[in-house]
């Protein structure tokens, strides 16, 4: 049976507290994340991390809709990408690995 870890924090005069580091790590909490409280009948409170729903970007959706309408209305405007341009892009980005799931650094937020 895994060991139980216990930590404490103190309420301020305004009923606020800092979530202890061990709890933040256990719940994988970051700045601006939300916490869900489940209060059980015996008075026990369970904290869980609220998983943010994936929200579509309304501006991007509108832009993609605009592109789709424009392509449908004016297919004659479409142009093939020059192979030299593709090679140039590949030379600039080749060998660069990106972890899409990696957390952004404080400078990138």
């Amino acid at each position: 049976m895994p060991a139980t870890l216990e930590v404490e924090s103190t309420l301020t005069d305004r009923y606020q507290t800092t979530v202890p580091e061990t709890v933040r790590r256990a719940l994988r909490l970051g700045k601006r994340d939300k916490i869900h409280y489940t209060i059980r009948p015996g008075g026990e409170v369970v904290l869980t991390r609220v998983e943010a729903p994936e929200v579509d970007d309304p501006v991007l959706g509108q832009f993609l809709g605009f592109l789709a309408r424009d392509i449908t209305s004016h297919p004659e405007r479409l142009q093939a990408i020059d192979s030299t341009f593709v090679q140039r892009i590949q030379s600039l980005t080749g060998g660069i690995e990106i972890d899409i799931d990696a957390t952004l650094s404080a400078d990138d937020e």
Side-chain angles (χ1 to χ4, degrees), residues 16-29:
Q16 296 175 335
T17 189
T18 299
V19 178
E21 180 183 6
T22 52
V23 175
R24 291 193 313 264
R25 277 198 320 255
L27 296 178
R28 297 180 328 275
L29 291 172

Side-chain angles (χ1 to χ4, degrees), residues 76-90:
E76 72 280 1
R77 294 180 183 170
L78 293 177
Q79 296 180 10
I81 296 176
D82 181 76
S83 62
T84 306
F85 180 68
V86 172
Q87 290 173 354
R88 176 72 176 139
I89 296 295
Q90 289 173 337

Side-chain angles (χ1 to χ4, degrees), residues 2-3 8-9 13 35 37 39 47 51 61 63 71 74 77-79 97 105 107:
E8 295 179 355
S9 65
D13 292 335
I35 300 171
Y37 299 86
I39 304 170
L47 302 179
E51 294 297 329
F63 177 68
I71 289 169
H74 303 286
R77 294 180 183 170
L78 293 177
Q79 296 180 10
E97 293 185 28
S105 69
D107 292 337

Side-chain angles (χ1 to χ4, degrees), residues 3-4 9-10 22 25-26 34 44 48-49 62-63 68 72 83-84 87 92 94 99 104 108:
T4 301
S9 65
T10 303
T22 52
R25 277 198 320 255
K34 293 184 182 271
E44 183 180 47
T48 53
R49 181 178 188 269
Q62 289 176 6
F63 177 68
T72 302
S83 62
T84 306
Q87 290 173 354
L92 294 171
D99 180 1
L104 292 175
D108 292 332

Side-chain angles (χ1 to χ4, degrees), residues 32-68:
R32 314 301 302 170
D33 282 345
K34 293 184 182 271
I35 300 171
H36 177 80
Y37 299 86
T38 303
I39 304 170
R40 296 190 175 161
E44 183 180 47
V45 178
V46 178
L47 302 179
T48 53
R49 181 178 188 269
V50 174
E51 294 297 329
E54 290 191 23
V55 179
D56 290 335
D57 183 337
V59 175
L60 181 59
Q62 289 176 6
F63 177 68
L64 293 175
F66 163 76
L67 286 180

